[in-house]
Amino acid sequence: MNKKLLFTSILLGCFSLTFAHVGSLNVFYEGKAGPYPIRVIIRPPGVVPGLAEITVRSLGEGVEKVTVQPVKYDTGPEGSPPPDVAINVSGDKTLFYSELWLMAFGSYSVNVDVYGGQGHGRAIVPVNSIATRQLEMSLLLKGILTALMVFLVFGGITIVGAAVKESTLKPGSKTSKERIKKSRISMLLGALIFIGLLYGGRMWWNSIENQYQENLFKPIEVTLEVAIEDGTRILQISITDEKWLNGFYSPLIPDHGKMMHTYLIRIPELDAFSHIHPVSIDKDQNTFQVIAPPLPGGNYVFFADITHESGFTQTLVDTVLVPEFSGVEKLDNLTISRDPDDSWRMGYSLPDLELDSAAHASDLVNEKYLVEWVNLPDRIIVGTEVGFSFKVTDIEGGHLSLEPYMGMLSHAGILKIDGSVFLHLHPIGSISMASQQQFEKQAGIKPQHGSEHKGHMDMDHSQYMEGGMHKSSEVVSYPPIEFPQPGQYRIWIQVKVKGKVLSGIFDIYVHPQIVS
Amino acid sequence: MVGKPLRWMMTNHLNQKPLSLSGIPWFCYVISIASTCIAVGLQWDISWHMTIGRDTFWTPAHMVIYLGGILGGFTSAILVFNMTFFDKNEGMNSGVKFWGFTGPMAAWVCIWGTVAMLTSAPFDDWWHNAYGLDVEIISPPHMVLAAGFIAIVFGAMLLTLVQQNRSNVSNINLYSWLYTYTGGILILLMVILTTEYSFTNKHHSLEFYKISAIVYPVVLVAISKSSKLKWPATIAALICMFHRCIMVWVLPLFEGQPLLAPIYREITHFVPPPFPVLLFIPAIAVDLIIIKSDKMNDWVRSAAIGFTFVSLFFVVQWYFSEFLLSESARNWFFSGHFNKPYWSRMGPYEFKFWEYDYRGFGPPIPLTPVSIAGLFSVTLIAAISARVGFWWGEWMRQVKR
């Protein structure tokens, strides 16, 4: 099997098993709770009902108490229990930890209330409550339960035998041969009953397991096709999912102005990359279209982030064969137009990263702008926090000022090369702003999407200035991230400079945790 | 080697003159208390889940259940230990043998039950991690637990029954009362286990009558056949009902509020269980048939009990459930208006008979309406259940070790 076919089959295989926020349910958020800058990480359990872990780190001074409260969208704050006080992790005054039960499927938010010298502040962090996890029983537990089961079965059979043989005898009298015979027959019958019970239990367990499997979250199903109109390639996304068509989901709402944030990436090379925004062409939001970017043809993987009115978010996943680009685009007569925020880049094929090599720590975009991962560690370990800050430099020394790109200072796309992990991040974290706004609206508080949510545009960049007011570098910082699986990843960091979107490419290898 | 109190306990085994209250040995009381703890703890725990939701290993309700298990297990272990090692002359000939040890039949059943309860703990913990915390009573690990506490209560019944069945023992009547009391607890366990099939809103569905026909006749007949009281099944059914009513009346006296979201209704006090079914009415008929038909074939008696049980239970419960869903039952006595959990949405459906069964996930399951053919099948089930009760009761009537 050639490399291309192998990559494609792995990708397709993985996509059939993946889910919203592909490969990771963890939620990262960095913003302000009133006057207090905080960073929140929510680790949902992957089962429903289940216990989510919440850590809140104060990024400033004066935080004395943190409380957390789960809010389900359909009941709102009125249907929420009193908040829990997060415990201050010993030895670290800035870190608070709590656990919260997410009892039902659907859209939740966690109200993080912070108290301190500057009063009270609240941050609302949306989180999905879905079942995604399949847990195997450990060998140790299997052994313990099997031993106990053997004891119960053989003990039970012995009790049945004893009941027939001796239990009805007067004290002091001895059992007869006939009783012994009856006892053996009853033990045999008892054994058959226990076998029947075990078999019935097994069937019951299997049926629950099957129900659970059916209940595991699967993103909305779509079918993709590319039509050519006037020599221009139009990608059409049709939602074919029965749950969607039957009204199980609430309608879609725009997230920073777009109904669908789509990453279209050529596989297996991951060289052609685009961040595009399909628009709905019918009132039921069943069909979306977008003009394909002027990139070469081939097999592409499609990831589309959507947000529902309920605040629920999910990532649609599919692959599509895109015909070769003719070299000419006639956009004037089309029924749809290209979104001005659509961006793309023809990069380079995946390198074969040596396991020991750290990563590609920088990328020169358009032969003018150097994008560097400034806090890239020597070795990235799965499940551990990794600094995620990038410096953009105009190597020609021209003045550089990053502009907001769809309301954010930067967008990051992270893809494990086998397709089993895909994350779309912003400097505020992994949450959907639209989802957060829905919960803020419900709670009757003013949406925060002002200065706090522009990412880190207001940070002090003086260290990167090259004399006077002139600066040729700027840094964009994301909250530290955790990679959920070991393996090779490709990352695209997008920023906007002078009206143009730059997409820096980074290749990294994430090492497994060493179990000592 | 063995401390004084333990020696004292051990000298009061099955065969010796009891040194205890009203001539009844200590272990009969302890094992009855263990049964009560299990039944009270279970109902409290279910109410805790319906009211507060969030629970830990250490909730008071869990503690009461563990106490029941521990009392049952330890009492049985002491009896076996004594009979095997300290009472070789009489003990070896008055107990039953089990893998080299000798002990009362009841002790083996209780020990088996304790091990089953212990088995369910890691199984249930894994189950929650794998499939999510269940808010259902009927799940595989819960059934292992149920097998455990049913065995302990059954063991408690056997322990007092042995005394009743020995003609040379004084206070037979007291033993019969204790036995019938633990029998009432066993019926209560059946009520608890079938909670999800027995909501008042389901009392017009065939499923409710089917499940009732499976679990109740067998226990009522077995108790009626083996107890030496005059109306044992009726008394046991009344004890069960009294226990349940106490929970209905006492639990709402304590404050409690949900600690999990989403909360679909305001709850300020512990949610009681639904008002119990009027089982004592068919139980009167069971006692009566067993008393009056002593010479008849057990199959015929079972058929008569099956028919009578279903006829009475159906007529009584059909109309009583209509009352329970009416405004007249929305008071502290019947708890018709506040026996739903925090996660249940409010609406008119609460006071109607349901046509569908709603589960945690998956589509609603249609409930079967009651029909003549349906009632015929329920009668057949009840008759089979009663026949098993006769076999079981006959054995219990004779058990002496």
Side-chain angles (χ1 to χ4, degrees):
Chain A
M1 191 184 282
N2 65 35
K3 189 180 172 188
K4 186 171 180 173
L5 202 57
L6 178 69
F7 269 73
T8 308
S9 60
I10 291 172
L11 274 166
L12 291 172
C14 288
F15 295 152
S16 65
L17 298 171
T18 52
F19 38 82
H21 300 275
V22 181
S24 172
L25 287 177
N26 292 354
V27 173
F28 298 86
Y29 172 73
E30 196 166 303
K32 283 188 172 175
Y36 308 102
I38 56 167
R39 180 185 302 143
V40 181
I41 302 173
I42 304 173
R43 294 184 174 83
V47 292
V48 182
L51 202 54
E53 295 177 2
I54 298 158
T55 54
V56 180
R57 185 176 285 283
S58 160
L59 302 175
E61 296 291 319
V63 172
E64 290 160 7
K65 188 174 94 168
V66 173
T67 65
V68 292
Q69 180 189 37
V71 178
K72 180 122 196 303
Y73 182 76
D74 60 350
T75 57
E78 295 78 27
S80 297
D84 278 22
V85 176
I87 53 163
N88 188 206
V89 175
S90 109
D92 189 344
K93 283 185 177 173
T94 63
L95 190 60
F96 298 83
Y97 176 81
S98 186
E99 292 177 337
L100 285 180
W101 282 99
L102 303 180
M103 294 300 291
F105 288 87
S107 177
Y108 271 84
S109 72
V110 174
N111 286 351
V112 180
D113 288 276
V114 181
Y115 301 86
Q118 299 175 71
H120 164 245
R122 171 176 287 182
I124 292 180
V125 186
V127 58
N128 283 348
S129 175
I130 51 176
T132 57
R133 195 176 69 180
Q134 294 167 276
L135 187 69
E136 289 292 318
M137 195 180 277
S138 71
L139 271 178
L140 177 68
L141 185 60
K142 263 185 197 168
I144 292 170
L145 289 181
T146 306
L148 287 166
M149 186 189 70
V150 167
F151 174 86
L152 289 173
V153 169
F154 283 93
I157 293 168
T158 309
I159 288 172
V160 170
V164 174
K165 193 169 85 176
E166 294 176 299
S167 69
T168 53
L169 283 175
K170 281 183 183 171
S173 55
K174 295 203 169 176
T175 190
S176 63
K177 280 186 181 174
E178 195 190 348
R179 274 180 181 269
I180 293 171
K181 194 178 165 190
K182 272 188 182 174
S183 159
R184 284 181 184 155
I185 293 169
S186 64
M187 285 172 84
L188 192 68
L189 284 173
L192 289 175
I193 290 170
F194 271 108
I195 289 169
L197 286 173
L198 288 176
Y199 181 75
R202 168 98 186 157
M203 300 286 282
W204 184 20
W205 190 340
N206 283 346
S207 85
I208 291 171
E209 172 71 23
N210 290 340
Q211 270 185 346
Y212 180 77
Q213 294 286 346
E214 279 176 25
N215 214 41
L216 283 177
F217 179 78
K218 296 170 195 77
I220 287 177
E221 283 177 18
V222 291
T223 55
L224 306 181
E225 59 180 333
V226 178
I228 297 181
E229 287 182 34
D230 258 359
T232 304
R233 300 167 303 174
I234 309 286
L235 172 65
Q236 178 159 305
I237 303 114
S238 306
I239 300 182
T240 53
D241 193 280
E242 273 188 28
K243 279 186 174 173
W244 169 266
L245 297 174
N246 293 332
F248 178 83
Y249 288 104
S250 58
L252 304 184
I253 54 169
D255 186 19
H256 31 251
K258 319 291 179 192
M259 299 299 268
M260 200 178 260
H261 290 261
T262 300
Y263 283 86
L264 199 61
I265 302 161
R266 188 159 76 157
I267 52 175
E269 302 89 345
L270 309 188
D271 51 354
F273 162 86
S274 61
H275 181 177
I276 53 180
H277 306 93
V279 291
S280 172
I281 59 165
D282 60 356
K283 64 178 174 51
D284 294 329
Q285 300 178 317
N286 291 338
T287 313
F288 289 76
Q289 284 187 343
V290 63
I291 298 168
L295 291 168
N299 279 311
Y300 278 74
V301 62
F302 166 94
F303 296 101
D305 287 340
I306 54 172
T307 303
H308 295 266
E309 244 174 38
S310 64
F312 190 78
T313 56
Q314 55 180 313
T315 303
L316 316 182
V317 184
D318 205 353
T319 57
V320 61
L321 178 64
V322 177
E324 277 304 330
F325 180 46
S326 65
V328 182
E329 285 184 322
K330 294 176 187 168
L331 306 180
D332 297 341
N333 297 327
L334 297 175
T335 51
I336 56 167
S337 53
R338 175 167 276 147
D339 191 301
D341 286 321
D342 284 2
S343 59
W344 55 86
R345 180 183 173 190
M346 186 60 207
Y348 44 86
S349 292
L350 281 172
D352 282 328
L353 279 186
E354 293 290 328
L355 294 193
D356 290 333
S357 72
H360 289 180
S362 62
D363 186 28
L364 186 61
V365 185
N366 295 349
E367 296 181 349
K368 179 175 165 67
Y369 297 104
L370 184 68
V371 187
E372 296 170 274
W373 189 338
V374 291
N375 48 5
L376 177 67
D378 290 340
R379 192 177 176 87
I380 300 175
I381 308 291
V382 70
T384 55
E385 283 191 359
V386 177
F388 209 58
S389 299
F390 298 85
K391 183 168 84 166
V392 185
T393 306
D394 182 345
I395 59 168
E396 293 171 0
H399 175 75
L400 185 130
S401 174
L402 297 183
E403 299 156 13
Y405 175 35
M406 288 183 285
M408 291 285 172
L409 190 60
S410 174
H411 294 249
I414 299 174
L415 178 62
K416 190 171 171 217
I417 64 167
D418 65 3
S420 57
V421 177
F422 174 77
L423 303 168
H424 177 186
L425 304 179
H426 305 121
I428 64 161
S430 61
I431 66 158
S432 155
M433 282 165 56
S435 175
Q436 189 184 43
Q437 278 173 334
Q438 290 296 95
F439 280 102
E440 286 173 342
K441 218 186 289 175
Q442 190 188 52
I445 62 174
K446 195 179 152 200
Q448 288 194 27
H449 297 239
S451 57
E452 297 96 327
H453 276 214
K454 286 185 292 189
H456 287 214
M457 288 182 80
D458 52 351
M459 69 184 290
D460 179 10
H461 300 297
S462 56
Q463 59 182 310
Y464 303 111
M465 289 182 183
E466 293 178 356
M469 293 301 290
H470 177 77
K471 58 179 180 178
S472 62
S473 292
E474 197 161 356
V475 169
V476 56
S477 290
Y478 288 79
I481 64 164
E482 291 174 10
F483 291 90
Q485 294 175 22
Q488 188 173 342
Y489 288 76
R490 171 159 279 195
I491 297 168
W492 293 268
I493 298 296
Q494 293 192 288
V495 291
K496 198 169 181 180
V497 179
K498 294 180 181 167
K500 287 189 175 174
V501 177
L502 312 177
S503 305
I505 297 173
F506 298 86
D507 293 296
I508 57 162
Y509 192 88
V510 176
H511 295 265
Q513 274 177 338
I514 299 162
V515 181
S516 55
Chain B
M1 189 172 72
V2 181
K4 213 173 177 182
L6 198 57
R7 275 184 193 279
W8 179 84
M9 285 196 288
M10 286 184 171
T11 53
N12 291 281
H13 62 79
L14 285 172
N15 294 311
Q16 292 185 342
K17 192 181 173 186
L19 287 170
S20 50
L21 201 64
S22 307
I24 304 278
W26 63 272
F27 49 79
C28 286
Y29 288 116
V30 172
I31 207 87
S32 302
I33 291 168
S35 305
T36 309
C37 284
I38 286 171
V40 170
L42 282 172
Q43 292 176 93
W44 188 0
D45 189 42
I46 291 170
S47 175
W48 186 286
H49 277 274
M50 292 164 81
T51 310
I52 294 171
R54 190 185 301 184
D55 79 341
T56 67
F57 186 83
W58 302 107
T59 61
H62 285 174
M63 291 294 113
V64 176
I65 298 173
Y66 305 149
L67 179 65
I70 289 166
L71 283 178
F74 270 98
T75 304
S76 305
I78 288 168
L79 291 173
V80 168
F81 199 59
N82 178 46
M83 205 171 259
T84 306
F85 298 109
F86 295 96
D87 192 17
K88 291 203 169 178
N89 296 327
E90 283 189 68
M92 295 301 273
N93 292 321
S94 63
V96 296
K97 292 177 189 65
F98 185 104
W99 298 351
F101 292 86
T102 306
M105 184 70 210
W108 296 122
V109 175
C110 280
I111 289 170
W112 188 92
T114 307
V115 176
M117 284 178 80
L118 285 173
T119 306
S120 75
F123 186 20
D124 201 32
D125 186 53
W126 178 84
W127 192 270
H128 290 169
N129 286 327
Y131 302 116
L133 176 75
D134 45 55
V135 286
E136 293 174 325
I137 294 172
I138 307 292
S139 72
H142 285 180
M143 287 304 99
V144 177
L145 178 66
F149 53 65
I150 285 173
I152 289 178
V153 173
F154 178 44
M157 290 169 73
L158 283 176
L159 207 56
T160 44
L161 189 64
V162 165
Q163 302 294 326
Q164 177 205 262
N165 291 349
R166 288 181 180 181
S167 53
N168 60 341
V169 174
S170 58
N171 291 322
I172 285 182
N173 206 36
L174 208 51
Y175 285 117
S176 295
W177 271 103
L178 262 184
Y179 167 63
T180 310
Y181 171 79
T182 47
I185 298 289
L186 187 65
I187 298 173
L188 183 56
L189 292 188
M190 298 300 147
V191 171
I192 295 167
L193 280 175
T194 55
T195 300
E196 284 158 353
Y197 301 94
S198 309
F199 295 134
T200 311
N201 311 73
K202 293 183 179 177
H203 285 197
H204 280 191
S205 74
L206 197 64
E207 283 79 3
F208 165 67
Y209 293 100
K210 265 188 189 166
I211 204 86
S212 302
I214 293 170
V215 298
Y216 297 132
V218 59
V219 186
L220 291 174
V221 170
I223 293 169
S224 182
K225 185 112 173 78
S226 51
S227 172
K228 291 188 176 169
L229 291 183
K230 238 183 173 179
W231 297 89
T234 310
I235 293 168
L238 282 170
I239 286 168
C240 162
M241 192 173 166
F242 178 71
H243 248 281
R244 195 70 163 169
C245 284
I246 293 287
M247 300 309 281
V248 169
W249 299 328
V250 170
L251 280 169
L253 299 178
F254 295 93
E255 287 185 355
Q257 68 171 122
L259 293 180
L260 298 175
I263 301 163
Y264 289 108
R265 59 179 65 222
E266 190 186 2
I267 285 175
T268 55
H269 291 77
F270 270 76
V271 177
F275 196 82
V277 291
L278 302 178
L279 199 59
F280 72 94
I281 294 174
I284 294 172
V286 169
D287 278 334
L288 212 55
I289 292 171
I290 288 180
I291 293 164
K292 299 286 180 191
S293 64
D294 198 31
K295 307 279 182 221
M296 285 173 76
N297 178 286
D298 283 348
W299 283 102
V300 178
R301 298 166 94 190
S302 302
I305 287 174
F307 177 76
T308 317
F309 176 88
V310 173
S311 307
L312 285 173
F313 190 65
F314 169 68
V315 172
V316 168
Q317 213 53 44
W318 181 275
Y319 291 107
F320 185 57
S321 59
E322 285 187 357
F323 164 76
L324 288 177
L325 293 182
S326 72
E327 279 197 30
S328 310
R330 292 173 206 170
N331 49 50
W332 68 270
F333 191 89
F334 293 107
S335 82
H337 59 311
F338 54 88
N339 57 28
K340 298 283 186 296
Y342 71 88
W343 67 78
S344 157
R345 290 170 194 270
M346 294 175 80
Y349 81 100
E350 291 176 58
F351 305 106
K352 289 180 178 170
F353 289 104
W354 295 344
E355 292 176 2
Y356 291 91
D357 195 2
Y358 297 92
R359 294 297 168 91
F361 46 80
I365 303 160
L367 290 168
T368 317
V370 175
S371 63
I372 299 291
L375 284 178
F376 180 76
S377 68
V378 171
T379 304
L380 199 64
I381 291 168
I384 294 168
S385 174
R387 186 65 189 91
V388 175
F390 273 107
W391 279 318
W392 182 20
E394 182 57 27
W395 171 73
M396 288 209 291
R397 207 172 57 79
Q398 296 176 36
V399 71
K400 291 186 183 69
R401 290 190 175 201

